[in-house]
Amino acid sequence: AWKDALLVYLAAPETHNEVVFFDDSVVVVRDKYPKAKLHLLVVPRTPMPFGVASLTKEHVPLLQHMASVVDGLAVAEDVRLGFHAVPSMRQLHLHVISTDLMSPALKKKEHWNSFTTSFFKPLVWVLDSLENADMIHIDEADEAAKLKRPLACHKCHTDFSTLPKLKQHLEKYHPPSDSKRRLT
Ligand code: 5GP
């Protein structure tokens, strides 16, 4: 099933060109439909078929390892690290995505909102939450509603009626060189 497509990288990561790093516990792969100039996925190699709502304190060392692996890649861009509240792909995957959010594959309002609203759960927020509670509660209806919100620029909060208009605005006012801050 397409929902299990991320599993193909796990058994023999060295055989896939899209894999940029792997070790015994994780694989880092280029997102096949990148939603920004740099978009990677960090995927655990053991079966973890559920999303962020399935994480508990026992996963904290794995999550910390994912963060240190990303640090080790020393990516040039400003990136954010986080999970979608309600993922579409089954195996757990951490998004590593540059803050330009400029890409031809970003085609839908839902794509935009999944990275610019609190539908995106930053890794640091996940780690913090697991320190203070046993698990992360996700209200699926609340989260789904976030994807339907009107489009707004993630840098200056200007509203837009269409994605093409928002993209024109990004190119004019927030080109990738504008992304100097590191947001994790
Ligand atoms: P999510 O489930 O968190 O919403 O996102 C799943 C991500 O996986 C999307 O960003 C999508 O572009 C990416 N994706 C979907 N299929 C494949 C695939 O076969 N290979 C890779 N590398 N990425 C994929």
Side-chain angles (χ1 to χ4, degrees), residues 2 5-6 8-9 18 29-35 39 41 82-91 93 95 105 114-115 119:
W2 64 270
L6 298 179
V8 304
Y9 307 109
E18 317 91 288
V29 62
R30 291 189 189 284
D31 195 289
K32 197 171 182 178
Y33 312 99
K35 308 305 188 296
H39 190 178
L41 303 172
F83 299 92
H84 279 159
V86 185
S88 53
M89 303 299 275
R90 232 180 320 241
Q91 178 75 354
H93 49 281
H95 290 271
S114 74
F115 291 104
F119 185 91

Side-chain angles (χ1 to χ4, degrees), residues 166-178:
L166 169 54
K167 288 188 174 198
Q168 279 173 15
H169 165 86
L170 294 179
E171 274 167 31
K172 190 165 176 193
Y173 296 106
H174 310 292
S177 57
D178 191 37

Side-chain angles (χ1 to χ4, degrees), residues 77-178:
E77 281 91 347
D78 296 308
V79 290
R80 299 178 73 215
L81 279 57
F83 299 92
H84 279 159
V86 185
S88 53
M89 303 299 275
R90 232 180 320 241
Q91 178 75 354
L92 186 77
H93 49 281
L94 174 71
H95 290 271
V96 178
I97 185 162
S98 57
T99 57
D100 54 271
L101 295 183
M102 282 185 185
S103 170
L106 202 158
K107 288 180 178 160
K108 298 192 212 167
K109 175 197 258 191
E110 289 80 0
H111 293 153
W112 180 261
N113 284 340
S114 74
F115 291 104
T116 58
T117 70
S118 59
F119 185 91
F120 188 83
K121 306 297 184 194
L123 177 60
V124 289
W125 178 87
V126 170
L127 283 166
D128 232 53
S129 303
L130 291 174
E131 230 172 71
N132 300 311
D134 287 334
M135 55 180 288
I136 292 164
H137 177 71
I138 299 289
D139 182 318
E140 298 217 2
D142 267 9
E143 299 295 344
K146 293 174 187 174
L147 299 180
K148 301 290 180 192
R149 282 187 199 164
L151 292 166
C153 175
H154 62 317
K155 296 204 169 157
C156 68
H157 310 292
T158 308
D159 292 328
F160 292 91
S161 54
T162 70
L163 198 53
K165 285 181 190 165
L166 169 54
K167 288 188 174 198
Q168 279 173 15
H169 165 86
L170 294 179
E171 274 167 31
K172 190 165 176 193
Y173 296 106
H174 310 292
S177 57
D178 191 37

